[in-house]
Amino acid sequence: LAVLSCSHPAPPLAALHRRLRRALMTLDWPLPQRPLRPHVTLARHAAGARPPPQLAPIPWRVHDYALVQSTGARQPRYLV
């Protein structure tokens, strides 16, 4: 798996994540215990892929978002 991730989530994204967790807790939904790790999947089955030596920061303005569930199946892989 080759992903592009950030070392520190932007404060607004971290705040959104905390609000979503609190909302899901009120519904008694099971919550993952792993920390927030925003990322973009670049390639699956990318054995041997190596990152470039250094990347410049990539500004990425977000205008919308969606909650997406990974199904673990081939089709549909994700449910919005």
Side-chain angles (χ1 to χ4, degrees), residues 6-76:
C6 63
S7 54
H8 301 290
L13 180 58
L16 173 63
H17 184 256
R18 285 190 302 274
R19 288 193 313 269
L20 286 171
R21 283 185 69 84
R22 283 194 300 269
L24 292 173
M25 286 172 63
T26 65
L27 299 172
D28 290 327
W29 279 33
L31 298 174
Q33 297 304 306
R34 63 185 180 270
L36 173 64
R37 185 178 162 250
H39 67 281
V40 175
T41 301
L42 302 173
R44 295 188 179 280
H45 312 290
R50 287 183 234 138
Q54 187 170 353
L55 283 175
I58 301 170
W60 188 350
R61 295 187 184 267
V62 176
H63 302 284
D64 204 355
Y65 64 91
L67 293 177
V68 180
Q69 177 186 6
S70 175
T71 65
R74 284 185 82 65
Q75 295 296 327

